[in-house]
Amino acid sequence: MSVLFVTGTGTEIGKTVTAAAVAATALHRGRSVAVLKAAQTGLAADEPGDAAEVGRLAGPVTLSELARFPEPLAPDTAARRAGLPAVRPQEIAEAAAKLAASHDLVLVEGAGGLLVRFDDEGNTLADAARMAGAPVLVVVEAGLGTLNATALTALALRSHGLDCPGVVIGSWPAEPGLAARCNLADLPKAAGAPLLGAIPEGSGTLSPDAFRATAPNWLAPDLGGTFTPPLLGTERPTPAR
């Protein structure tokens, strides 16, 4: 795949760090990478955004940001309140295609979840991915509640005719509870797609050198890495005495 959209089942669940891991792994394999942030919200003009964070962690990638709005809101709302033009899905698709002409891999990171509105016509990242003809990687949470959110996102992807190559757990806890361990087996069922990785919690705080050296361990071979889901979550409860 030359263009890969990255979305999540919600906000603040690890999309940017996941995109950085995918980028770092691709760079490790000698591929050229571009990162496109469709709309950055919640930051002033002089603050580093999500695309810059991917570059900081992953290494030498081409960075692009289509629009920036100062308030931490959905792109449509943030654009309207700022009195700025909204980002249209055609703009996202065209920008991704332009970057794909000179890069092996283009990662397009959305804002929030898949169906967050980008403009006043109700267009979303799903519409942009459909116009780009690109698959959508879904970043999910590890623990309780993630199966329903993952299934809903997968249903939305199918309703838009979009391919989902798999899901990545955006923050895998150092001490996973029972729900998280069971979800290693259950997430692929909810998504109708394989588990393609698990990013350890706190990975975004690693030094860039440490991040780049270990990122391939967090991602499955389909994303260029070596990750294999551990055989957890299959244990049976001990009968009560």
Side-chain angles (χ1 to χ4, degrees), residues 67-229:
R68 177 172 291 213
F69 310 115
E71 295 180 316
L73 302 167
D76 171 43
T77 306
R80 185 173 65 252
R81 286 178 54 85
L84 295 171
V87 178
R88 306 292 178 179
Q90 188 64 40
E91 295 177 64
I92 302 171
E94 289 175 354
K98 184 176 181 179
L99 289 168
S102 55
H103 296 83
D104 298 319
L105 175 65
V106 178
L107 298 172
V108 182
E109 183 182 347
L114 178 69
L115 298 185
V116 169
R117 293 169 61 102
F118 269 73
D119 60 25
D120 56 4
E121 296 179 3
N123 288 306
T124 68
L125 193 72
D127 297 294
R130 178 177 50 80
M131 291 181 183
V136 182
L137 183 70
V138 180
V139 182
V140 303
E141 293 184 293
L144 199 63
T146 193
L147 298 179
N148 181 66
T150 299
L152 288 171
T153 300
L155 177 61
L157 286 169
R158 291 193 296 272
S159 72
H160 283 79
L162 295 170
D163 176 54
C164 175
V167 299
V168 173
I169 297 172
S171 181
W172 180 253
E175 297 182 2
L178 177 61
R181 299 197 307 272
C182 290
N183 286 340
L184 290 171
D186 292 340
L187 275 167
K189 301 173 188 175
L195 178 63
L196 294 184
I199 313 297
E201 65 179 354
S203 294
T205 64
L206 294 174
S207 70
D209 285 345
F211 186 94
R212 296 165 196 175
T214 53
N217 299 334
W218 308 331
L219 301 173
D222 283 358
L223 294 175
T226 59
F227 170 84
T228 300

Side-chain angles (χ1 to χ4, degrees), residues 24-36:
T25 301
L27 289 170
H28 180 74
R29 294 172 63 87
R31 305 181 74 193
S32 58
V33 180
V35 177
L36 173 63

